[in-house]
Amino acid sequence: MALAIGLTACSSSGSTSADKSPASDPKAAGGSVTVWLMDDAQKNWPDLVQRVNDEFAAKYPKVTLRLVYQGWADKVTKLDKALADGNAPDVVELGNTETMKYVLSGALAPVDRSSFDNSDAWIKALANTCTYQDKLWCVPYYAGARVAIYNSAAFQQATGSGEFPKTETDLLAALDRIADKNKDKSFSPLYMPGPYWYAAASYVAAYGGSIAKFDSSGNWHGTLHDAKSQQGISHFVDLVRKYNKGDLTVNEQNQYEAMARGRAASFYGNGYEAASVAAPGTGDPSLKDAVKLATMPGPDGKPLPTFIGGSDLAVTAKSQQTALAADWVRMFTSGKSQQALADKDILPNNLTQLAPLKTKPSTAAAANAVPDAWFTPLAPGWGAVEKQKILPDMLTAILKGKSVDQATKEADAAIDQLINKQS
């Protein structure tokens, strides 16, 4: 669906930088700016979109703004075609796992971090999704996090408390009690899928390890074999073996089904997966009041570092209106705009406005997981590493009996073959 404010579309060629300031007289600026936003904004915060568009129109009365809503299923295909045809939007929302592809292809214009509100307090992992070779190629929009999803009734019955434990020591004790009191040996106190590399990497981060690092020679190299990384992987594998009573080789794609079918007391996933547990058709509606969210505790006494989810906003390199496009992004990510998102329980892009959400019941689970969040290596060949399933295969091999030492050594070698080559 497209919401047109004016009539004309964007041009496909022009300046390659979004750092230039708009004309000294904004009211004299002309032309058009096309913005692609995901339909989440249309469904959940249309009032924010309208306010920013009105603000932009007031500042640039002679500039035509065209807003087009996109869906996640086909946005990348549409964007690739628009870029190839020379008809790309001036501003595009990208899921933060999509940004590197467009940075490496030269499709995005660099932007000046200092010109955006709260940039000194941006969530580090979210800002990292926009950063490559010391340049900023997009602007953090909002954040997402994985959390513990649990059946409070199962915890209440086994432990006397329907609350999720706040420390891992207490959590493991609770999971042990749940296991002891459940006679069904196929019931998982914690359903943690074996190939779930996002979760495994969270434990790696908790121990101070990493998947890969950029070294002084100008290359990336795998670091899963490093001692701290091995600690995290070993800890993850121990949790899987002890508490997952299902098939350890099944991935996390439909992990909510274990709880929906009465086979799990808890799992670690995206907050939206909780809705699937109790939704008619996908789950068991009788669990609606029992399913709750909590921050997953890590082994170090702090929240388990989460893979950072969320979206970024980028200015395309061939836009003729890079300065105007960047100014729209400034308005849409301003402190006022971010507060509008926070008021709707969407995690803002910065720690300052995130802080109040850490104590708000509806947002605390995710908000507390974000400050120490991690992201995949911003390396040219990371896409190939994921495509080759190096991390899931490594975890499966360990669960089938290969030593952590050998499996991580082999994974690093495989990563090194791919990570520095543009995929």
Side-chain angles (χ1 to χ4, degrees):
M1 177 180 179
L3 172 64
I5 303 175
L7 301 173
T8 59
C10 69
S11 176
S12 62
S13 63
S15 171
T16 59
S17 173
D19 293 330
K20 297 178 181 178
S21 299
S24 56
D25 181 7
K27 295 190 182 303
S32 63
V33 172
T34 295
V35 176
W36 282 16
L37 276 183
M38 304 312 298
D39 55 12
D40 303 279
Q42 182 184 30
K43 297 171 184 174
N44 300 310
W45 45 91
D47 49 339
L48 167 60
V49 178
Q50 188 61 56
R51 180 185 63 74
V52 171
N53 287 345
D54 289 346
E55 181 183 350
F56 186 87
K59 184 174 181 179
Y60 303 106
K62 295 183 180 179
V63 176
T64 301
L65 181 67
R66 181 172 181 262
L67 173 64
V68 184
Y69 287 112
Q70 301 289 349
W72 289 108
D74 59 358
K75 189 278 301 290
V76 167
T77 300
K78 287 183 177 179
L79 181 58
D80 288 348
K81 185 177 187 305
L83 289 166
D85 293 345
N87 192 33
D90 299 282
V91 176
V92 61
E93 178 181 346
L94 298 170
N96 58 24
T97 59
E98 299 169 348
T99 57
M100 182 50 55
K101 169 184 175 179
Y102 295 105
V103 170
L104 293 172
S105 69
L108 307 183
V111 290
D112 178 8
R113 177 169 180 155
S114 65
S115 66
F116 296 93
D117 282 3
N118 293 306
S119 61
D120 57 344
W122 280 345
I123 296 167
K124 183 178 179 181
L126 193 59
N128 285 348
T129 71
C130 288
T131 307
Y132 183 66
Q133 293 185 341
D134 297 324
K135 288 185 178 181
L136 188 73
W137 300 92
C138 52
V139 178
Y141 174 12
Y142 64 86
R146 282 172 166 78
V147 297
I149 300 169
Y150 70 106
N151 184 330
S152 60
F155 277 76
Q156 177 71 42
Q157 182 179 19
T159 70
S161 172
E163 299 297 319
F164 200 76
K166 291 181 170 54
T167 69
E168 191 181 67
T169 298
D170 290 343
L171 173 60
L172 299 184
L175 295 176
D176 289 341
R177 287 196 290 273
I178 290 171
D180 290 342
K181 293 200 174 189
N182 200 296
K183 296 180 180 180
D184 182 356
K185 299 306 178 185
S186 66
F187 183 86
S188 300
L190 172 63
Y191 185 79
M192 187 71 84
Y196 192 3
W197 71 268
Y198 285 104
S202 289
Y203 286 97
V204 168
Y207 277 93
S210 61
I211 298 171
K213 287 185 177 179
F214 190 71
D215 61 28
S216 58
S217 69
N219 289 305
W220 286 87
H221 62 279
T223 52
L224 293 168
H225 191 251
D226 290 2
K228 291 179 179 179
S229 299
Q230 286 195 53
Q231 277 185 286
I233 291 167
S234 295
H235 191 91
F236 167 79
V237 169
D238 288 345
L239 292 174
V240 173
R241 284 177 171 155
K242 186 171 185 180
Y243 298 115
N244 181 355
K245 302 305 179 181
D247 184 344
L248 302 188
T249 66
V250 174
N251 67 27
E252 74 280 8
Q253 185 173 357
N254 295 310
Q255 60 180 341
Y256 72 89
E257 292 178 351
M259 185 178 290
R261 294 173 180 171
R263 296 295 182 89
S266 60
F267 66 97
Y268 180 60
N270 295 290
Y272 60 77
E273 293 178 71
S276 299
V277 174
T282 62
D284 180 357
S286 71
L287 295 174
K288 181 179 178 181
D289 293 333
V291 178
K292 299 184 183 299
L293 307 182
T295 304
M296 179 66 91
D300 57 354
K302 301 195 305 185
L304 184 68
T306 180
F307 172 80
I308 192 74
S311 277
D312 301 315
L313 293 166
V315 176
T316 55
K318 291 187 177 180
S319 167
Q320 283 191 332
Q321 301 280 24
T322 55
L324 292 173
D327 210 22
W328 186 92
V329 174
R330 288 185 189 97
M331 296 175 187
F332 202 67
T333 58
S334 69
K336 183 177 181 180
S337 295
Q338 289 292 300
Q339 189 58 51
L341 292 178
D343 289 344
K344 295 179 181 293
D345 290 351
I346 304 302
L347 302 186
N349 66 10
N350 66 90
L351 296 174
T352 302
Q353 291 174 289
L354 178 74
L357 301 188
K358 291 183 178 182
T359 56
K360 188 176 180 181
S362 56
T363 55
N368 282 291
V370 163
D372 293 322
W374 61 275
F375 194 65
T376 51
L378 293 174
W382 180 252
V385 173
E386 285 199 32
K387 187 175 182 179
Q388 292 294 322
K389 299 182 179 179
I390 292 172
L391 272 69
D393 288 351
M394 174 195 71
L395 294 169
T396 299
I398 294 169
L399 288 163
K400 288 183 175 180
K402 184 171 287 188
S403 71
V404 171
D405 185 74
Q406 183 62 27
T408 54
K409 185 176 182 179
E410 292 174 359
D412 278 351
I415 288 172
D416 289 350
Q417 290 294 315
L418 299 171
I419 197 168
N420 293 297
K421 301 174 183 177
Q422 187 167 338
S423 55

